[in-house]
Amino acid sequence: MAYDKAYKVLAKQEGISNSKAKELIDKGLVRAQGKKVLIARGEIDDNTKFTVKDVAEAKVIFQDNDILAVNKPAFLTSDEIAKKFPKAIMLNRLDKETSGVMLFAKNEEFQKKAIKEFKLNNVYKEYVAIVDGKVIDEIEIDKPILTTKDRGQAKSKVDKKGKPAKTTVYPMFVEGNKSKVKVVIDTGRTHQIRVHLNYIGLPIIGDTIYGKPVSNINRVLLHSKRTKIFDYDFEAVEPREFKVYDFN
């Protein structure tokens, strides 16, 4: 049995460059034997068969002379989305594996007004998540979050030295020991929803950093569904995995 680096084996299988293969693995799009391939340079059997997930396109929800709202797909970073709209100015970020509403300003005057609304916590931000655990009542989490960086990677935790953060969780439905919930955040700390839900024992399914990895799920099941700012109200359709998720 011969072994080689995972990205090299993938490159041969897919007929792509080594750099493209490494990029696909780093994005979390590659699976082998039902599990996500995590380390591009890891040694693997050179007869391994991979499956590669396609990434959906970023779709424009609405735009006018001041604002652009985009439905961000999972597996693309906020910066990658921003590059697709080079004349717009990014107003909010989503984690790579989080999908949903992203906002951009079309001019600097609107950008300044919008940033002020975010700082004043006047922007309504509603998410949908699937968590491990039963949620039958509304839950309010008001715990400060501290974010640190290690080798360029941000990681957050509940810590009294952190910044104020408030998350409200509303039950949608329960199946077995898993729940679909609506989540509204008053603040926007790094990884806020993922950290707060894990803190109260309701880790998000598919969250390999704070939550509960699942072999047949290759993304964090968190979606930015609705955002309201000024008189605008934007909604991003939930991806397929939120509607037909196999709770069993």
Side-chain angles (χ1 to χ4, degrees):
M1 188 181 292
Y3 288 84
D4 204 345
K5 289 183 169 58
Y7 74 91
K8 291 184 178 180
V9 179
L10 176 64
K12 290 175 186 174
Q13 177 184 300
E14 296 293 315
I16 57 179
S17 67
N18 286 343
S19 60
K20 179 64 176 176
K22 187 174 183 301
E23 179 186 329
L24 291 172
I25 293 172
D26 289 344
K27 283 183 180 295
L29 296 170
V30 181
R31 300 175 76 81
Q33 297 176 332
K35 296 181 179 180
K36 188 189 294 186
V37 179
L38 298 174
I39 305 173
R41 296 182 180 277
E43 296 286 322
I44 199 166
D45 181 350
D46 62 8
N47 288 319
T48 299
K49 297 299 180 187
F50 298 98
T51 56
V52 181
K53 183 176 176 63
D54 292 329
V55 178
E57 291 291 321
K59 293 183 179 179
V60 173
I61 299 170
F62 174 86
Q63 64 178 319
D64 61 15
N65 291 331
D66 290 323
I67 196 167
L68 165 67
V70 175
N71 187 356
K72 172 195 170 299
F75 306 110
L76 291 180
T77 66
S78 294
D79 289 328
E80 286 174 314
I81 299 296
K83 288 177 183 177
K84 297 177 184 292
F85 305 98
K87 294 183 179 179
I89 309 163
M90 184 164 43
L91 291 174
N92 72 306
R93 289 179 174 273
L94 296 177
D95 298 339
K96 182 173 70 173
E97 292 182 22
T98 302
S99 52
V101 181
M102 268 189 74
L103 301 183
F104 295 82
K106 299 287 282 292
N107 56 72
E108 289 186 5
E109 183 182 352
F110 185 84
Q111 177 200 18
K112 290 176 183 176
K113 291 193 295 183
I115 287 174
K116 188 175 180 180
E117 290 294 283
F118 275 101
K119 285 182 177 178
L120 293 172
N121 295 331
N122 287 337
V123 181
Y124 176 81
K125 292 162 283 189
E126 177 186 317
Y127 289 73
V128 173
I130 296 177
V131 300
D132 185 54
K134 294 181 180 179
V135 181
I136 55 175
D137 296 308
E138 180 181 324
I139 305 168
E140 185 178 289
I141 312 157
D142 196 349
K143 295 288 182 181
I145 289 178
L146 178 68
T147 301
T148 55
K149 284 200 172 183
D150 180 21
R151 288 170 289 186
Q153 296 293 315
K155 192 163 185 184
S156 300
K157 63 180 179 180
V158 170
D159 191 300
K160 61 184 180 182
K161 297 177 183 176
K163 294 180 179 179
K166 183 181 173 186
T167 303
T168 308
V169 184
Y170 303 88
M172 295 179 74
F173 65 79
V174 177
E175 182 70 39
N177 197 46
K178 295 180 176 60
S179 304
K180 185 174 182 179
V181 295
K182 179 176 85 172
V183 183
V184 177
I185 56 174
D186 289 0
T187 45
R189 308 303 175 202
T190 300
H191 300 167
Q192 176 175 328
I193 297 173
R194 296 161 67 180
V195 169
H196 268 172
L197 286 173
N198 188 55
Y199 179 79
I200 62 168
L202 295 168
I204 299 178
I205 299 295
D207 188 348
T208 58
I209 299 176
Y210 307 101
K212 179 133 183 170
V214 177
S215 62
N216 64 334
I217 297 295
N218 64 348
R219 61 161 292 192
V220 175
L221 288 180
L222 179 64
H223 176 72
S224 173
K225 186 169 184 180
R226 191 176 182 193
T227 303
K228 293 193 283 186
I229 184 170
F230 300 120
D231 293 329
Y232 296 102
D233 188 348
F234 305 116
E235 188 165 329
V237 176
E238 293 173 26
R240 179 175 175 271
E241 53 264 40
F242 287 80
K243 295 180 179 177
V244 298
Y245 181 71
D246 182 6
F247 285 91
N248 299 315

